[in-house]
């Protein structure tokens, strides 16, 4: 687990000396704006890493995007505007939560579809099961056979 | 010669695995008892030869025999001995050999510990294990051979990535593999049952301990991996919905459902289709996980296309076993008639709901993990499915699951009284609600945190209610309560403990909402506030390690009255690879942790630092330990009765019908 | 020797399969199982009944169902009679023939039975001239572990480490030499150079201090003077760099091999471009030449590693292999070159023409064909 992140980390470390994902210089002085920036950053992926958000990534590209986000927040842009800008620039690939469109219909529909299918399957199974008789008590022959079976040898 | 003998042992193991598949099957299908009876001996022989091969490879690593390509590529003569040994599975070929070693070990364990099994079932199970061994030994020998040689031998190996030289990472793969491969046994049992057509409570009884063993290891393996990521990545993240993590979570979800399903089948002869389906599914997901991690398909679909040999091989194995078991499944559908009938509201019904929710969660993880790969392969379109997707889609399932969990153990078999159970759970509900309200009022934070705490309390208290009612409530004094609690079967203790452990983990997860984070530039001889603590950065010191230089920062953590802990986060600089690695300073205080990591030493002596206070965070992994311990308790119960050592007493007669 | 071991192993494997054939048939546990399991189920049902998890009527039904299952199991367990004989004999024969055939057949294709183990310790202990440079290094290293005060060993290794890019070890070795032997101009200069290499070609304050010390001890140490100039150039003081270097060239003995390098440096810093003189070509070349020498070395190592990686996956590339082998020989990494040659042979197994080109190059470079 996390091996890929590791490889990613290792590769990045070779290129750049280790810097923390978010460095103190990047942090905005207004805590509310900073919190918004952090929340927003966790929605975008680092384009050169495996499954890391830009909030977690050490790559310089991630840092650039973080800086863009913070500048835009300070400039008074809304989250939606910033997201639109980044998607226009890097494509849907940058979004960690893919948008709902034709290509992802199946993805977003999957959980509901699975529950529906399973419920259908179980309803079917129940219908078949209904009407099955309850077990009658053992008859004499069975009792005798059981007694023979259970007799200590 | 040792190396070549090891290579030959691996070839012999393949020959034995093929024998292990064919001879017992010939025995059971051809009606020859003696052939069927040979199965255990063959399985143990196969294990011995795989172990010999593994030992030979380990030997080559330990003595730095660089004429073995695998050693040359992954070992370094100056590494500490322990990492030479763990380095054997720190690479593709070696880890596949470990996979097969564990498979053979389970095969031998089945052979050794199943004397009470009906002979044909035993022979068929061992044959199925042999078939799995055949497939993977073929893969190793033909596509991933660790015994290939180099001539002339280089004088030094390629240094192992320093990040891989970590005790946590060293133990993690074997634990995870024990879990993954442990489910091969349940798979083999399912396939054997389908072949013989005997799918009944006796079968379930024998499957249950193996399911438990695999589940315990997988639980520990996942927790271990998560803790490793937590302390090594430098900012305290512990779960990322990374495909490699998902690969281990998928079989865990299916395996957990299987665990519950097997109990129903053993007791009530019900949920047969579910149980067989889950047994096949769980191991298939283990195989899928192996494919995802080992084929390189995750790194990039493109890279996979360039050198697809290994990936395609594992994919073929995967398809063969899934397809084969599905075909068997269809062939034996008639033998899977439901046995004991039950009302929707009943213990059985609750467990069906459990299976449904866990399977749906599992399917969501599978689809979320594979969707980007499939989409890219089919249309070339690239999308990302990351944590926000998984959190959003899985939350509803998890919510229903947690709400329903305390009900399960209290519901009666066949038909239950939901209202009565709800009344018994009133205390848990009240306490949970109170906890949520109190925390929301006093701590604030994101809404999810107090809600999570409330749910966790509901689950933890709810898990105690069954035990409480069975022991203390019915007793007059301490002595009789103790006697009664001794009388409770260990499997009941185990089940409730496992549920409780899940609640404990949930509590740890919920508390992350109240974490404190400070990303600041710190200067020596300065004090910084961190949640309830004062962290003072005293000074920096340097030290040379075996193959790195280390810069330590000395920090003391104090509360209002005095120093409570010393933390020494550091940066290690590996000059040979020009690589920095941060070593976080972690100190557990009151179940929470102070977590500090540093980077970027500046000319003026200041450093970039991340300071965290993570309240109750250790509960995340303690909960997993509790779950595993619950499993262990349950296992000890099952094992006591597995042998059916005592013969039936005559009193049984009057109990019948 | 090896063959007798392999035969013994095969015999062991056969024993594991065939031994149970010779033993009598044990009772199938299935029959006893039916009654025992029934008992266990009845006990469990009773416990559930007491815990109010099942009512009395349902408990009766459950017991009846369990009883019928137990009876059916006991009946079927008695069914399968022994049908011994032919099948067993045929199977035993097939195993005895096919198992060794498969094992030896497959091993003959993929194994290397004639190749002995080659542990590092044994190679270090072995005497003779056939050991390559890296083995010699390892031998000296082992010697130094035993006698850590042997300054000659460190003097031997330090420059080799630096050339092989094992920079950190070079720094440590020079530091050790200074401790053991005391200060001297050349050692201080070499130590400074190693520090520069460690810092990717940047003359750090620490390195500069070492060069200053070297010049205090030996005022005309050429290496220290060169790096003083480089430090000036890196800090942007071109004028000082040029004056230092020009003075260095002026005072150089006529046969000094490094004069051309310093002249090239002067030309580069003063802005006149010189034509390419070997080294990497193409758009990267200018960038590489602009780097300090230690960084160039690192860069070249990186490029070689990249090429080597590419050839691992796309091996049918005779020109690539030739480039790799030539580079490795230039870098004096002859044993890596030999490994590359061996790999090339495997990768070009289907490309005989390509292989002969590579082979010819190897002979020209004095590498023996494996």
């Amino acid at each position: 687990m996390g091996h890929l992140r590791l490889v990613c980390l290792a590769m990045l470390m070779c290129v750049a000396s280790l810097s923390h994902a978010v460095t103190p210089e990047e942090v905005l002085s207004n805590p509310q704006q900073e919190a918004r920036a952090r929340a927003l950053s966790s929605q975008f992926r680092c384009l050169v890493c495996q499954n890391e958000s830009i909030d977690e990534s050490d790559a310089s590209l991630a840092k650039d995007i973080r800086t863009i986000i913070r500048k835009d927040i300070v400039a008074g842009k809304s989250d939606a505007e910033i997201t639109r800008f980044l998607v226009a620039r890097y494509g849907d690939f940058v979004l960690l939560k893919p948008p709902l469109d034709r290509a992802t219909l199946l993805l977003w529909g999957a959980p509901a579809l699975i529950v529906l299918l399973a419920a259908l399957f179980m309803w079917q199974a129940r219908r078949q099961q209904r009407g099955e008789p309850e077990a009658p008590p053992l008859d004499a022959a069975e009792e005798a056979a059981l007694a023979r079976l259970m007799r200590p040898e | 010669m040792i190396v070549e003998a090891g290579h030959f042992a691996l070839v012999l193991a393949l020959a034995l695995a093929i024998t292990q598949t064919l001879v017992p099957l010939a025995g059971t299908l051809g009606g020859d008892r003696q052939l069927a009876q040979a199965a255990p001996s063959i399985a143990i022989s196969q294990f011995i030869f795989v172990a010999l091969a593994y030992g030979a490879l380990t030997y080559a690593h330990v003595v730095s025999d660089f004429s073995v390509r695998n050693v040359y590529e992954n070992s370094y003569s100056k590494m500490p001995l322990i990492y030479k040994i763990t380095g054997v599975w720190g690479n593709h070929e070696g880890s596949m050999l470990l996979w097969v070693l564990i498979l053979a070990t389970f095969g031998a364990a089945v052979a050794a510990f199943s004397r009470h099994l009906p002979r044909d079932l035993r022979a068929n199970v061992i044959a199925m294990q042999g078939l799995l061994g055949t497939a993977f030994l073929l893969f190793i020998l033909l596509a991933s051979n660790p015994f290939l040689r180099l001539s002339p031998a280089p004088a030094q190996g390629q240094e192992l990535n320093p990040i891989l030289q970590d005790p946590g990472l060293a133990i993690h793969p074997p634990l995870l593999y024990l879990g993954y491969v442990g489910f091969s046994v349940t798979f083999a049992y399912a396939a054997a049952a389908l072949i013989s057509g005997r799918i009944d409570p006796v079968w379930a009884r024998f499957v249950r301990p193996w399911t438990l063993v695999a589940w315990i290891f997988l639980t520990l393996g996942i927790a271990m991996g998560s803790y490793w990521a937590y302390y090594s990545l430098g900012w305290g993240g512990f779960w990322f919905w990374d495909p490699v993590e998902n690969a281990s979570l998928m079989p865990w979800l299916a395996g957990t459902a299987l665990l519950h399903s097997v109990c129903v089948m053993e007791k009530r002869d019900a949920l047969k289709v579910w149980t067989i389906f889950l047994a096949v599914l769980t191991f298939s997901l283990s195989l899928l996980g192996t494919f995802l991690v080992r084929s390189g398909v995750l790194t990039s679909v493109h890279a996979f296309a360039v050198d697809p040999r290994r990936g395609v091989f594992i994919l073929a194995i995967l398809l063969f076993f899934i397809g084969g078991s599905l075909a068997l499944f269809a062939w034996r559908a008639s033998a899977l008639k439901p046995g004991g009938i039950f009302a929707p509201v009943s213990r059985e019904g609750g467990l069906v709901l459990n299976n449904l929710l866990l399977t749906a969660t599992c399917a969501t993880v599978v689809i979320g993990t594979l969707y980007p790969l499939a989409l890219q392969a089919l249309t070339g379109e690239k999308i990302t499915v990351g944590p926000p997707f998984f959190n959003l889609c899985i939350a509803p399932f998890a919510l229903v699951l947690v709400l329903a969990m305390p009900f399960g153990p209290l519901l009666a078999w066949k038909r239950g009284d939901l209202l009565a159970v709800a009344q018994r759970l009133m205390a848990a509900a009240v306490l949970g609600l109170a906890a949520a309200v109190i925390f929301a009022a006093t701590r604030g934070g994101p809404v999810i945190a107090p809600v999570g705490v409330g749910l966790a309390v509901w689950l933890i208290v709810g898990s105690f209610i069954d035990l409480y009612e069975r022991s203390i409530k019915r007793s007059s004094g301490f002595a009789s309560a103790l006697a009664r609690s001794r009388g409770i079967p260990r499997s009941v203790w185990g089940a409730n403990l496992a549920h409780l452990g899940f609640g404990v983990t949930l509590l740890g997860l919920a508390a992350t909402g109240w974490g404190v984070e400070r990303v600041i530039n710190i200067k020596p001889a300065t004090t910084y506030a961190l949640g309830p603590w004062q962290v003072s950065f005293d000074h920096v010191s340097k030290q040379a390690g075996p193959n790195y230089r280390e810069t330590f920062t000395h920090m003391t953590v104090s509360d209002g009255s005095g120093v409570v802990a010393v933390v020494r986060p550091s940066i290690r600089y590996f000059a040979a690879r020009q690589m920095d690695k941060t070593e976080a300073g972690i100190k557990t205080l009151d179940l929470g942790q102070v977590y500090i990591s540093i980077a970027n030493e500046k000319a003026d002596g200041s450093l970039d630092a991340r300071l965290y206070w993570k309240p109750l965070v250790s509960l995340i992994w303690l909960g997993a330990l509790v779950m595993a311990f619950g499993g262990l308790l349950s296992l000890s119960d099952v094992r006591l009765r597995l042998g059916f050592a005592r013969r039936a007493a005559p009193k049984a007669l009057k109990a019948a019908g | 020797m090896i063959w007798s071991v392999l035969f013994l192993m095969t015999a062991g494997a056969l024993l594991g399969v065939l031994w149970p054939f010779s033993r009598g048939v044990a009772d199938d546990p299935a029959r006893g199982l039916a009654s025992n399991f029934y008992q266990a189920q009845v006990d469990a049902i009773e416990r559930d009944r007491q815990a109010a998890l099942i009512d009395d009527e349902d408990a009766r039904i459950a017991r009846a169902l369990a009883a019928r299952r137990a009876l059916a199991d006991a009946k079927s367990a008695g069914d399968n009679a022994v049908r011994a004989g032919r099948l067993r004999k045929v199977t035993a024969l097939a195993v005895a023939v096919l198992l060794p055939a498969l094992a030896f057949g497959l091993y003959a294709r993929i194994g290397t039975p004639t190749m002995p183990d080659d542990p590092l310790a044994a190679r270090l202990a072995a005497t003779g001239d056939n050991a390559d440079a890296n083995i010699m290094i390892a031998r000296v290293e082992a010697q130094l572990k035993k006698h850590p005060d042997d300054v000659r060993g460190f003097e031997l290794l330090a420059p080799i480490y630096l050339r092989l890019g094992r920079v950190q070890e070079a720094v440590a070795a020079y530091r050790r030499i200074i401790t053991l032997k005391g200060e001297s101009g050349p050692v201080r200069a070499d130590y400074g150079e190693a520090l520069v290499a460690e810092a990717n070609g940047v003359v750090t304050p620490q390195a500069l201090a070492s060069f200053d010390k070297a010049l205090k001890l030996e005022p005309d140490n050429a290496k220290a003077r060169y790096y003083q100039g480089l430090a000036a150039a890196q800090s942007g003081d071109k004028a000082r760099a040029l004056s230092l270097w020009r003075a260095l060239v002026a005072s150089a003995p006529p046969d000094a091999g490094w004069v051309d390098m310093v002249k090239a440096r002067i030309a580069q810093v003063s802005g006149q471009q010189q034509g390419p003189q070997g080294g990497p070509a193409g758009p990267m070349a200018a960038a590489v030449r602009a780097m300090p020498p230690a960084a160039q070395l690192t860069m070249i190592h990186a490029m070689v590693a990249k090429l080597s990686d590419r050839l691992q996956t796309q091996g049918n590339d005779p020109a690539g292999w030739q480039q790799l082998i030539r580079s490795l020989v230039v870098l004096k990494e002859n044993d890596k070159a030999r490994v590359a040659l061996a790999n090339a042979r495997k990768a070009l197994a289907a490309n005989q023409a390509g292989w002969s080109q590579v082979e010819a190059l190897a002979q020209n470079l004095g590498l023996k064909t494996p």
Side-chain angles (χ1 to χ4, degrees):
Chain A
M1 176 181 335
H3 295 173
L4 278 172
R5 299 174 57 81
L6 199 84
V7 172
C8 173
L9 211 66
M11 282 182 335
L12 288 166
M13 281 173 168
C14 295
V15 185
S17 143
L18 178 110
S19 60
H20 279 89
V22 180
T23 56
E25 301 90 73
E26 294 175 33
V27 174
L28 297 174
S29 52
N30 178 337
Q32 260 131 35
Q33 289 184 338
E34 174 62 18
R36 250 184 80 200
R38 297 298 297 277
L40 201 54
S41 301
S42 65
Q43 299 292 314
F44 301 108
R45 76 170 283 168
C46 161
L47 296 154
V48 294
C49 302
Q50 283 288 336
N51 272 59
E52 258 187 323
S53 78
I54 56 166
D55 192 46
E56 303 156 4
S57 171
D58 297 329
S60 58
L61 180 66
K63 190 183 169 102
D64 293 347
I65 302 179
R66 282 198 300 268
T67 313
I68 293 173
I69 290 176
R70 283 179 170 75
K71 269 192 194 138
D72 284 357
I73 285 179
V74 173
K77 287 196 186 157
S78 72
D79 288 4
E81 280 174 306
I82 298 171
T83 308
R84 258 202 306 281
F85 170 74
L86 288 175
V87 170
R89 190 157 165 186
Y90 300 107
D92 283 347
F93 186 57
V94 78
L95 294 172
L96 279 170
K97 189 166 82 183
L100 179 62
D101 57 25
R102 267 180 53 200
T104 60
L105 201 59
L106 206 60
L107 176 70
W108 283 103
L113 201 69
I114 294 155
V115 172
L116 213 70
L117 278 176
L120 204 73
F121 163 75
M122 279 181 344
W123 181 68
Q124 190 68 27
R126 280 210 69 74
R127 263 186 24 168
Q128 282 179 358
Q129 200 185 60
R130 210 164 288 161
E132 198 136 314
E134 292 279 68
L138 299 183
D139 58 31
E142 282 172 322
E143 287 282 11
L146 186 65
R148 258 201 314 284
L149 179 68
M150 301 308 289
R151 190 180 307 135
E153 275 144 31
Chain B
M1 190 185 75
I2 293 177
V3 172
E4 286 305 314
H7 196 178
F8 187 71
L10 202 59
V11 176
L12 269 180
L14 171 67
L16 281 168
I18 296 171
T19 317
Q20 182 184 334
T21 314
L22 298 179
V23 169
L25 275 183
T28 55
L29 300 179
D32 187 319
R33 289 179 173 191
Q34 213 154 14
L35 290 182
Q37 196 173 270
S41 169
I42 307 174
I44 291 169
S45 310
Q46 192 222 334
F47 161 71
I48 290 171
F49 283 99
V50 175
L52 282 178
Y54 191 84
L57 186 64
T58 308
Y59 164 81
H61 273 262
V62 168
V63 302
S64 297
D65 186 340
F66 297 122
S67 69
V68 179
R69 177 189 279 264
N70 183 261
V71 179
Y72 162 69
E73 284 175 351
N74 303 294
S75 192
Y76 188 66
S77 67
K78 285 180 192 163
M79 280 196 310
L81 179 65
I82 177 77
Y83 294 126
K84 284 185 186 169
I85 295 172
T86 62
V88 176
W89 64 71
N91 60 81
H92 175 89
E93 293 85 0
S95 77
M96 286 317 296
L97 189 58
L98 178 70
W99 210 100
V100 168
L101 176 66
I102 293 175
L103 184 67
T105 310
F106 272 109
V110 169
F113 297 120
S114 59
R115 294 213 183 90
H116 320 283
L117 237 62
R119 185 188 293 118
D120 282 10
L121 179 61
R122 187 188 192 193
N124 284 346
V125 169
I126 290 174
M128 287 303 112
Q129 284 272 340
L131 193 59
L132 285 167
T134 306
F136 278 92
L137 282 166
L138 264 177
F139 169 68
I140 290 184
L141 286 169
L142 298 183
S144 169
N145 194 332
F147 287 106
L148 296 182
R149 306 295 293 270
L150 281 177
S151 177
Q156 185 52 282
Q158 295 170 357
E159 191 178 16
L160 192 72
N161 189 329
I163 292 188
L164 296 173
Q165 299 181 28
D166 177 286
L169 200 61
I171 337 173
H172 169 222
L175 271 182
L176 208 56
Y177 279 9
L178 280 167
Y180 269 10
V181 183
F183 284 114
S184 72
V185 181
T186 52
F187 175 85
Y189 265 95
L194 287 170
I195 289 173
S196 68
R198 231 189 95 164
I199 303 156
D200 57 13
V202 179
W203 175 88
R205 151 72 90 213
F206 287 114
V207 171
R208 202 169 141 207
W210 296 109
T211 317
L212 267 171
V213 169
W215 183 85
I216 292 168
F217 281 126
L218 195 55
T219 306
L220 290 176
I222 292 175
M224 178 95 221
S226 150
Y227 192 68
W228 170 78
Y230 170 80
Y231 73 70
S232 74
L233 290 179
W235 57 275
F238 49 84
W239 190 261
F240 308 93
W241 295 108
D242 183 292
V244 181
E245 289 169 325
N246 292 349
S248 63
L249 184 64
M250 297 179 308
W252 187 85
L253 289 167
T256 308
L258 174 64
L259 204 57
H260 289 85
S261 211
V262 166
C263 292
V264 182
M265 188 159 157
E266 181 190 331
K267 282 211 162 183
R268 302 284 307 161
D269 199 19
L271 305 196
K272 283 182 190 176
V273 177
W274 265 113
T275 308
I276 296 282
F277 166 71
L278 285 171
V280 170
L281 179 72
T282 307
F283 185 62
S284 302
L285 290 172
S286 294
L287 287 179
L288 179 68
T290 308
F291 166 72
L292 286 177
V293 177
R294 286 291 154 215
S295 67
V297 69
L298 289 174
T299 328
S300 93
V301 176
H302 178 70
F304 173 66
V306 170
D307 185 16
R309 205 161 49 116
R310 286 178 172 171
V312 167
F313 210 126
I314 303 183
L315 200 60
I317 294 178
L318 183 67
L319 292 179
F320 172 76
F321 283 104
I322 294 178
S325 44
L326 285 183
L328 277 175
F329 204 81
W331 177 50
R332 285 292 185 187
S334 59
L336 292 166
K337 266 203 220 102
I341 55 173
F342 54 87
V345 177
S346 62
R347 176 81 74 94
E348 294 96 320
L351 287 165
V352 168
L353 179 69
N354 166 72
N355 286 354
L356 184 64
L357 288 169
L358 283 172
T359 319
T361 311
C362 181
T364 308
V365 177
V366 173
I367 291 171
T369 308
L370 297 182
Y371 203 84
L373 301 176
L375 192 66
Q376 198 191 347
L378 293 176
T379 69
E381 194 175 338
K382 281 175 86 175
I383 61 161
T384 307
V385 179
F389 170 87
F390 289 106
N391 291 337
L392 188 68
C393 287
I394 283 168
F397 294 131
L399 182 70
V400 179
L401 203 58
V402 170
L403 284 176
M405 264 167 89
F407 282 91
L410 296 179
L411 276 171
W413 293 106
K414 204 164 174 191
R415 55 184 151 249
D417 185 344
L418 203 56
L419 210 62
V421 173
Q423 276 169 356
R424 287 159 72 193
L425 285 171
M426 196 55 89
V430 168
L431 283 173
L433 217 60
V437 169
I438 290 169
F439 273 92
T442 57
R443 294 288 195 106
V447 188
I448 188 106
V451 171
V453 169
L455 286 171
V457 170
W458 152 255
L459 190 50
I460 292 170
V461 178
S463 309
F464 271 119
I465 283 184
D466 187 25
L467 298 173
Y468 165 78
E469 287 182 347
R470 285 189 188 212
S471 55
I472 301 166
K473 198 179 172 190
R474 294 193 200 165
S475 321
S476 46
F478 178 73
S480 81
L482 196 69
R484 273 185 185 278
S485 44
R486 284 232 186 91
I488 300 174
R490 283 199 210 168
S491 55
V492 174
W493 277 103
N496 283 304
L497 261 184
H499 281 194
L500 185 139
F502 192 70
V504 171
T505 295
L506 192 60
L507 195 58
L509 290 174
T512 55
W514 292 302
V516 180
E517 179 196 56
R518 294 194 66 182
V519 180
I520 41 174
N521 184 263
I522 56 170
K523 293 183 179 63
T526 318
T527 302
Y528 302 90
L530 182 66
W533 314 105
Q534 299 290 320
V535 177
S536 62
F537 171 23
D538 304 329
H539 64 278
V540 174
S541 69
K542 310 227 171 189
Q543 195 181 312
N547 50 345
Y548 54 82
R549 281 200 313 266
E550 192 157 20
T551 304
F552 282 107
T553 48
H554 297 257
M555 306 200 187
T556 44
V557 183
S558 48
D559 57 7
S561 53
V563 173
V564 291
V566 177
V567 187
R568 300 202 314 160
S570 70
I571 314 170
R572 286 183 184 168
Y573 176 63
F574 294 83
R577 291 176 155 255
Q578 300 180 10
M579 229 174 107
D580 277 334
K581 186 181 172 216
T582 182
E583 296 281 314
I586 302 175
K587 200 81 195 178
T588 308
L589 297 166
D590 308 338
L591 295 175
Q593 289 187 331
V594 169
Y595 185 117
I596 300 173
S597 65
I598 53 168
N600 300 348
E601 193 176 4
K602 305 276 162 59
D604 63 353
S606 71
L607 289 146
D608 285 350
R610 303 185 130 213
L611 286 69
Y612 299 91
W613 164 239
K614 295 170 177 289
L616 301 186
V617 73
S618 60
L619 292 183
I620 295 174
W621 303 286
L622 284 178
L625 285 181
V626 174
M627 279 191 255
F629 181 69
L632 209 62
L633 264 186
S634 224
L635 185 65
S636 70
D637 187 356
V638 169
R639 277 202 46 185
L640 272 182
R641 293 182 289 146
L642 185 65
F644 303 114
R646 63 200 163 80
R647 279 288 296 161
K651 72 174 164 74
L653 293 178
K654 66 177 189 300
Chain C
M1 179 64 181
I2 177 86
W3 289 109
S4 50
V5 170
L6 300 192
F7 275 115
L8 263 176
M9 286 167 73
T10 315
L14 278 177
L15 191 70
V17 181
L18 298 178
W19 175 61
F21 285 23
S22 66
R23 294 169 69 224
V25 178
D27 270 346
D28 190 342
R31 197 182 147 78
L33 190 68
S35 61
N36 277 339
F37 187 71
Y38 170 68
Q39 183 62 51
Q41 287 215 302
V42 168
D43 291 350
I45 293 166
E46 181 56 21
R47 255 199 314 278
D48 279 348
R49 202 182 59 79
Q50 278 169 12
L53 286 175
I54 193 163
D55 66 29
D56 292 351
E57 171 60 10
D58 287 339
R60 183 203 59 77
I61 295 173
R63 276 195 300 269
L65 287 171
R68 293 210 172 93
R69 280 196 300 269
L71 291 175
D73 284 354
K75 193 157 168 274
S76 71
D79 279 352
N80 54 356
V82 197
R83 236 186 301 153
R86 247 172 61 98
L87 181 62
R88 189 181 321 151
K89 277 178 199 145
V90 171
T91 310
L93 195 68
V95 168
V97 173
L98 291 179
L99 191 140
L102 175 69
F104 281 100
L106 183 58
Y107 180 73
R109 285 185 65 89
I110 61 175
T112 1
T114 50
M115 194 166 163
D117 288 355
D118 204 0
L120 191 62
R123 293 166 67 194
L124 293 183
T127 48
D129 302 331
N130 54 351
D132 59 22
N134 279 340
I135 287 294
M136 305 278 239
I137 295 173
R139 215 175 273 167
V140 177
E141 280 171 345
Q143 204 59 38
L144 282 177
K145 208 166 233 174
K146 271 185 240 154
H147 310 286
D149 294 338
D150 178 8
V151 72
R152 292 216 324 263
F154 287 107
E155 281 174 338
L156 183 69
L157 283 185
I160 298 178
Y161 280 148
L162 194 59
R163 208 168 53 219
L164 291 177
R166 292 159 72 172
V167 189
Q168 200 189 15
E169 287 162 298
V171 170
Y174 281 123
R175 205 175 284 150
R176 187 85 190 130
I177 294 172
I178 294 172
T179 324
L180 290 173
K181 213 177 156 186
E183 304 280 357
S184 77
V187 176
R188 270 292 166 184
D190 289 341
Y191 177 52
E193 187 177 39
L195 287 172
V196 171
E198 193 186 19
N200 270 338
V202 176
V203 184
T204 58
Q206 200 193 354
L208 189 59
S210 187
F211 293 127
D212 288 345
K213 204 159 202 173
L215 288 173
K216 212 173 275 169
L217 296 162
E218 188 192 352
D220 51 351
N221 182 298
K223 190 179 276 174
R225 287 169 71 190
Y226 166 74
Y227 276 104
Q228 262 191 334
L230 186 61
Q234 285 175 353
S235 64
D237 190 351
K238 282 189 187 171
R240 181 172 145 76
L242 290 174
S243 81
L244 281 168
W245 282 340
R246 286 195 178 119
L248 178 61
V249 172
S251 67
D255 57 338
W258 42 264
V259 170
D260 287 342
M261 193 267 289
V262 180
K263 278 185 183 157
R265 234 350 125 93
I266 292 172
Q268 191 186 29
V269 170
S270 59
Q272 303 155 12
Q273 278 296 326
Q274 285 216 332
Q277 19 164 267
M284 288 292 285
V288 171
R289 269 199 309 280
M291 289 175 170
Q296 277 184 11
L297 192 67
T298 319
M299 175 81 194
I300 291 167
H301 273 288
M303 288 167 70
V304 169
K306 207 166 152 192
L307 178 62
S308 163
D309 282 352
R310 184 172 65 78
L311 290 170
Q312 291 269 322
T313 51
Q314 300 159 31
N316 193 8
D317 178 0
W321 286 111
Q322 289 180 52
Q323 195 187 352
L324 177 64
I325 290 164
R326 196 182 288 124
S327 311
L328 287 170
V329 171
V330 170
L331 290 169
K332 301 210 164 39
E333 300 198 341
N334 280 10
D335 67 339
K336 276 196 189 162
R338 257 179 238 121
V339 173
L341 189 59
N343 290 339
R345 184 181 198 169
K346 266 180 229 152
L348 295 171
N351 182 353
Q352 207 48 48
W355 165 243
S356 52
Q357 284 171 19
V358 176
E359 196 175 28
L361 173 81
Q363 264 158 5
N364 285 342
L365 293 172
L367 292 173
K368 273 192 222 119
T369 325

